[in-house]
Amino acid sequence: MLSPPRRAVHPMIGVLGRGRMGSALARNLAVQGKRVLIAGRTRDGTRPVGLASYPEIHCVPAPVVVARSDLLVLALPFDAAVDLARDGLLDDGRGRTVVDTTNPPSSVGGGRRSGRLLAELLPQWRVVKALNTVPAGMLGEPVLDGRPVTVPLAGDHPSAKIECAALLCGLGFVPVDVGGIDRAPALESLAELLMAIDSQHALRGRLGFSLAVPELSAVAPSNVAWPDRPPVPVGERQRLAPPAVDNIRSTPGRPPRPSR
C-alpha cells in the first residue's frame, strides 16, 4: 500500500513554461481554486494576456517558481528543461516532486539520453514522468467518446506518484502507474505515436486513449475527492465506478466530465 505524501495545507503548484501546455495547465488548476506560480524560460515575470483574468495565477520569475512551489511541473521543450537543469536553476529540489511533461526530439533516441536524462540531472527532486501524452487542448475537457482520458505516469518514488496522481485526478484524467522512471522512454514513444495519429487525421489536439482493464482498482489518494459527475449513459457496455484508494497500479473508469 502506498502512503499519502506529506502535503502543505494550501499547496502551491509551480509551472515552468508559458506556452500552450503551461498556460492551459495553469488556467485549469486556477479553475479548481489552486494557487499557481508560472514562469517562462526567461526571468521576466510579466503576466500574459491569456492569464490576466485568473487571480489565482501569479506570474513571477522562474527562480521564484522553483523556490516556492510545493510541486513543480516542467511544461517546457525538452532541450529547454535540460538547459535549466544544467544551468543550476533546478538544483534546490529539497525532495519535492517535479512532473516532467517533456518529449525529447525523435533524433535524441535512447532511454538514458531522453526519458531518464532529466531524472539523472535532478537528483534532489522526486521526478515523475506524466502528461507528456496529453495535448494542451485536452486539459480543459479530458473526455473522449464519453470516457475520461487515461494518463500513464512513471517514477521511482511511490509517494511522488500519488501526489502526481492527485494532480491528474483533479484535472479530470485517469492516471495509471506504469512503473519506474526507466519506463519514461516508452511514454515518449507513445506520445510520438499519438502525435502522428493526430497529424494523419487532422484531429487538432483532441486525442487520447482510455485504458480498459479487467479489475478496477485505486488510483487516487484518499484525500482527493471525485467531483460530482453525470451518470454514465445506460448504453455503456460497462458501468464506470469511482476508484478505491489502495494502489495506483491499474486504472479505474469514472463518469465523464461535463463540458465547460
Side-chain angles (χ1 to χ4, degrees):
M1 181 180 293
L2 299 177
S3 301
R6 179 174 55 84
R7 296 176 180 274
V9 176
H10 299 290
M12 183 76 76
I13 299 174
V15 179
L16 284 181
R18 293 193 314 202
R20 291 187 60 210
M21 184 67 176
S23 295
L25 178 60
R27 287 193 297 268
N28 282 278
L29 290 170
V31 167
Q32 301 175 40
K34 305 288 187 184
R35 299 187 303 159
V36 182
L37 297 177
I38 188 170
R41 281 180 274 179
T42 69
R43 294 178 178 267
D44 181 15
T46 58
R47 178 183 290 268
V49 175
L51 304 180
S53 59
Y54 297 87
E56 298 88 354
I57 300 175
H58 306 277
C59 296
V60 296
V64 177
V65 173
V66 175
R68 297 184 182 178
S69 299
D70 298 300
L71 180 147
L72 182 65
V73 181
L74 300 179
L76 295 162
F78 173 76
D79 290 339
V82 170
D83 287 344
L84 289 180
R86 286 177 169 162
D87 289 344
L89 179 64
L90 303 175
D91 283 353
D92 187 21
R94 287 173 279 140
R96 291 173 292 163
T97 297
V98 59
V99 180
D100 170 20
T101 75
T102 68
N103 283 307
S106 300
S107 59
V108 172
R112 186 175 182 278
R113 292 190 60 202
S114 56
R116 299 193 64 178
L117 178 56
L118 277 172
E120 293 175 0
L121 291 173
L122 302 174
Q124 295 187 30
W125 295 83
R126 303 179 305 168
V127 180
V128 181
K129 186 80 176 187
L131 278 174
N132 68 302
T133 60
V134 177
M138 291 301 301
L139 285 167
E141 189 179 357
V143 175
L144 292 171
D145 194 26
R147 292 181 178 273
V149 170
T150 298
V151 176
L153 58 89
D156 294 336
H157 305 278
S159 59
K161 288 194 280 190
I162 290 178
E163 194 173 358
C164 180
L167 177 75
L168 295 172
C169 288
L171 292 168
F173 295 105
V174 175
V176 59
D177 181 6
V178 301
I181 198 65
D182 59 326
R183 297 289 177 85
L187 300 192
E188 292 157 0
S189 295
L190 174 59
E192 187 175 8
L193 175 62
L194 292 174
M195 286 187 284
I197 295 172
D198 182 276
S199 177
Q200 177 71 21
H201 298 281
L203 300 177
R204 298 181 179 179
R206 290 296 298 168
L207 177 69
F209 69 95
S210 181
L211 184 64
V213 293
E215 297 179 2
L216 303 181
S217 60
V219 161
S222 58
N223 58 349
V224 176
W226 289 92
D228 293 331
R229 300 180 185 278
V232 180
V234 176
E236 290 283 352
R237 178 173 297 181
Q238 178 181 6
R239 183 167 297 277
L240 305 179
V245 182
D246 295 327
N247 65 67
I248 58 173
R249 297 298 301 178
S250 57
T251 180
R254 58 190 171 91
R257 188 177 188 177
S259 301
R260 288 184 182 147

